[in-house]
Every structure is written in C-alpha cells, then in structure tokens.
C-alpha cells in the first residue's frame, strides 16, 4: 500500500522503473496472482528493451527478468509469447562464469514444464533433443546435480511418447549414479519408474527380483510412502494375474487409490501424475500419449485434480 509502489510517476530512472515492476511481480507471485505477476514482468521486459545499452551492460540482470517472465508464462497457454521469450533468453551471450549447459538447464526445465502443461509432447521432444545434443558435447563440464533432473525429464517424455526403451536408458543412468543421496526423490522414483517400464517392455522374468531389490532400496528410509506401497503392490499383483480381466481390476484399484492421494494432498509425490496417466491408459485401452495429450489439451493444467476427478 506504500504510495511509492502505487504510483508509476515516482519511478523516473531506469533502475526505479524495473525495480517497481519486480517488486510488484514478486508480490503478485507470493499472493498466487500469476496473471498480475505476468503483467508486471511483461512490462519490465518491455522497459529493458527500450534501453538496449542496459541489456548490453547488464545481461545477467536482464536474463533474470526474462526467467521471471518465463516462469509466469509457464502456467498459461500463451504459446507465441512463450516462444518469443525463450528465443530472447537463448540469444543472450554466455556469461563469463559457468558453462553454456548450466546456463540453459533452468530454461530447459521451464520449457519442459510448459509443454507438459499444454500437452505438447512434440514440442517437448524438440527440447529433449537439444538437451541430448548438449549433454553429448559437454557432459564432462556438467555437475551431476544438474544432470539428474535433466535425465529424469528425458525419461518422462520418452515414457509418455511410448518409447519405453529410451525411457529405461535414462532411468538406468539415474539409478547408476554413485552419489545415491543426490536428488534422492528422483533416485527413489526412478526405482518405481523402472518397474513400470520393464512391465511395459514385458520383461516379466526380471521383475520379481527387481521388486525385491526396489523394496530393499526404498526401505533404507524410515518407511515406504503410500504412493510407493501402492505401486509396488500393484506390480507384484499384476505379475500373478491370470487374465486381462484381472489385470484391469488391478489397474482400476491402483488408479482410484492414486486419485485419492492426488485429492488429499497439496504436495504430490514425484511421479504421481505419470503413473496416473499410465493407469488411465490401461483402463481406456489407449496409449499413454493419447490419454496424456487428450487430458492436458482439454484443460485443467493449473490443477491436475480437474483432469483426474474422484470416482471417474
């Protein structure tokens, strides 16, 4: 409510103009008003572009405003605007500190989040190919802590695409990381995701031993989560199912239980949505890609409970 933040005429200098929009944008984000935050960062970037000499002098600061702008756009369907801002970020010269891939990983994660939200696997796979190319060229310069989330995103996109072999390749890379405390949540879900991927590849002979190994790994923490317990039990039961009717019943039970978790918690376990798309594809007898694209493009991407209602 401070008058200095209410009246634009007080902000006369370049620094004051962008600071005003940044303060307002941050406030709007903290109060969950994404649309108002988007307007503030859109205006801030417009002001930056009026001062190209400032962009040349302070590219790192300008980049931070672009990233804030992107984060606001990530929960919208403004495809053209999103693409323009992505292009602006990637066109900035590399910073003196850090590698190109470390500079881009934040942008890639925002891009992938946006394309997942909008059901655009095709655009997401273009980003995945860019990531793969950069990893091949610069792997020795990248910290493992940066690689693991990228590998996780690659595995998810390939799984949703139906390319289980490539998905498993990235899952195995995550599981073979020697620092097992690195990104522990991703390490844990990689074990669950591995079981599902092997099931899809019909590697049934290996799954029994893998189930025991996964359970031992996950029991290193105090207790298994409800999500982990449900998926492990379902995979074990599926291995013993005798026919399609029995399998369908198992998938229905797992799907309903996972929807219950989705609706009962604000903090969803990592991988919950991917497994929900998988179980629903079994119930609809459609590909995961079809179910994912249909649901995400129909809407509800700001609250996934809308696309997985209770009792359906």
């Amino acid at each position: 409510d401070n008058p200095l933040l209410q009246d634009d005429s007080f902000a006369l200098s370049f620094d004051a103009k962008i600071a005003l929009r940044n303060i307002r944008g941050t406030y709007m984000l903290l109060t969950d008003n994404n649309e108002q935050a988007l307007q503030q960062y859109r205006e801030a970037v417009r002001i930056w572009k009026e001062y190209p000499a400032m962009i040349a002098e302070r590219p790192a600061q300008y980049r931070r405003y672009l990233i804030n702008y992107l984060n606001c756009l990530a929960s919208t369907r403004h495809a053209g605007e999103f693409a323009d801002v992505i292009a602006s970020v990637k066109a900035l010269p590399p910073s003196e500190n850090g590698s190109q891939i470390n500079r881009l990983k934040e942008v890639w994660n925002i891009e992938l989040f946006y394309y997942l939200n909008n059901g655009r696997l095709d655009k997401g796979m273009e980003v995945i190919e860019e990531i793969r190319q950069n990893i091949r060229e610069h792997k020795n310069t990248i910290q493992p802590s940066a690689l693991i989330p990228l590998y996780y995103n690659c595995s998810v996109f390939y799984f949703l695409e139906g390319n289980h072999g490539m998905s498993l390749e990235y899952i195995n890379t995550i599981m073979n990381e020697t620092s097992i405390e690195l990104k522990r949540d991703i390490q844990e879900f990689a074990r669950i995701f591995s079981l599902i991927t092997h099931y899809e590849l019909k590697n049934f002979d290996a799954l029994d031993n893998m189930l025991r190994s996964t359970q031992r790994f996950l029991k290193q923490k105090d207790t298994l989560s409800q999500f982990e317990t449900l998926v492990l039990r379902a995979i074990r039961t599926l291995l013993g199912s005798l026919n399609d009717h029995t399998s369908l019943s198992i998938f229905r039970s797992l799907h309903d239980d996972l929807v219950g978790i989705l609706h009962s918690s604000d903090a969803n376990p990592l991988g919950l949505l991917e497994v929900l798309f998988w179980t629903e594809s079994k119930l609809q007898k459609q590909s995961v890609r079809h179910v994912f694209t249909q649901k995400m493009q129909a809407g509800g991407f700001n609250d996934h409970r809308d696309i997985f209602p209770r009792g359906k």
Side-chain angles (χ1 to χ4, degrees):
D1 295 329
N2 190 299
L4 288 172
L5 300 179
Q6 296 295 321
D7 189 346
D8 290 10
S9 66
F10 285 111
L12 300 178
S13 68
F14 168 77
D15 284 315
K17 289 176 181 179
I18 61 170
L20 175 61
R21 274 71 187 185
N22 187 46
I23 293 167
R24 286 176 177 169
T26 302
Y27 174 77
M28 296 304 176
L29 286 176
L30 291 171
T31 55
D32 294 324
N33 192 336
N34 187 77
E35 190 58 39
Q36 287 294 318
L38 173 58
Q39 291 181 25
Q40 296 301 320
Y41 285 114
R42 183 187 284 133
E43 178 65 10
V45 169
R46 186 195 65 76
I47 294 169
W48 271 98
K49 289 180 177 179
E50 290 181 348
Y51 296 83
M54 288 296 189
I55 294 177
E57 181 183 323
R58 309 179 193 173
Q61 187 182 6
Y62 177 54
R63 183 180 187 277
R64 176 45 50 194
Y65 276 81
L66 289 173
I67 293 296
N68 289 337
Y69 188 7
L70 273 179
N71 277 315
C72 292
L73 285 168
S75 296
T76 73
R77 294 202 188 277
H78 303 323
E81 187 176 4
F82 184 82
D84 289 344
V85 182
I86 286 289
S88 295
V89 177
K90 291 183 178 180
L92 290 173
S95 60
E96 294 181 3
N97 300 320
S99 68
Q100 171 78 344
I101 197 167
N102 285 327
R103 188 175 70 92
L104 287 174
K105 70 179 187 296
E106 183 178 25
V107 181
W108 288 331
N109 285 326
I110 297 171
E111 281 187 279
L112 293 176
F113 178 76
Y114 177 83
Y115 292 130
L116 278 175
N117 269 347
N118 285 274
R120 293 297 306 273
L121 289 178
D122 55 337
K123 298 295 292 182
M125 290 307 298
E126 292 177 12
V127 181
I128 294 295
E129 186 51 42
E130 184 181 342
I131 292 171
R132 283 166 52 84
Q133 181 66 29
N134 275 273
I135 288 176
R136 281 195 295 267
E137 293 178 4
H138 306 287
K139 185 174 181 180
N140 293 334
T141 69
I142 315 168
Q143 292 294 323
S145 59
L147 280 175
I148 295 299
L150 293 176
Y151 288 151
Y152 168 76
N153 283 325
C154 289
S155 70
V156 166
F157 268 87
Y158 278 116
F159 180 82
L160 294 173
E161 275 278 308
N163 190 336
H164 301 111
M166 285 299 296
S167 180
L168 186 59
E169 180 180 316
Y170 283 100
I171 294 168
N172 287 337
T173 303
I174 294 170
M175 294 195 301
N176 290 333
E177 171 56 51
T178 54
S179 304
I180 68 167
E181 294 305 319
L182 196 64
K183 304 294 182 183
R184 181 74 189 195
D185 57 340
I186 296 178
Q187 289 272 357
E188 290 169 357
F189 180 63
R191 269 66 185 176
I192 297 293
F193 214 20
S194 177
L195 296 175
I196 293 171
T197 308
H198 276 287
Y199 179 85
E200 285 299 299
L201 291 169
K202 303 188 186 305
N203 296 333
F204 302 132
D205 291 340
L207 269 173
D208 191 48
N209 286 332
M210 289 180 63
L211 271 167
R212 287 194 289 270
S213 174
T214 299
Q215 194 145 7
R216 283 195 302 271
F217 177 87
L218 294 175
K219 279 187 175 179
Q220 292 176 31
K221 55 183 179 177
D222 292 338
T223 183
L224 294 180
S225 69
Q226 183 186 10
F227 171 64
E228 293 164 345
T229 300
L230 288 169
V231 176
L232 289 172
R233 184 175 65 197
I235 296 290
R236 186 178 294 107
T237 311
L238 283 167
L239 289 178
S241 65
L242 300 176
N243 51 56
D244 290 344
H245 178 75
T246 305
S247 296
L248 199 63
S249 176
I250 296 167
F251 280 114
R252 166 55 64 194
S253 177
L254 175 60
H255 181 274
D256 290 348
D257 288 338
L258 295 180
V259 169
I261 294 176
L262 179 67
H263 282 263
S264 62
S265 173
D266 291 330
N268 296 326
L270 189 68
L272 174 63
L273 292 173
E274 287 84 351
V275 180
L276 270 169
F277 285 119
W278 176 60
T279 56
E280 183 133 338
S281 76
K282 297 299 183 183
L283 297 176
Q284 290 190 20
K285 298 183 179 180
Q286 299 278 358
S287 69
V288 176
R289 180 189 176 97
H290 173 84
V291 171
F292 170 81
T293 302
Q294 180 187 56
K295 281 185 167 291
M296 296 305 288
Q297 291 186 354
F301 59 85
N302 284 321
D303 188 346
H304 294 106
R305 287 171 289 195
D306 292 344
I307 60 174
F308 289 109
R310 287 182 184 271
K312 292 185 179 181

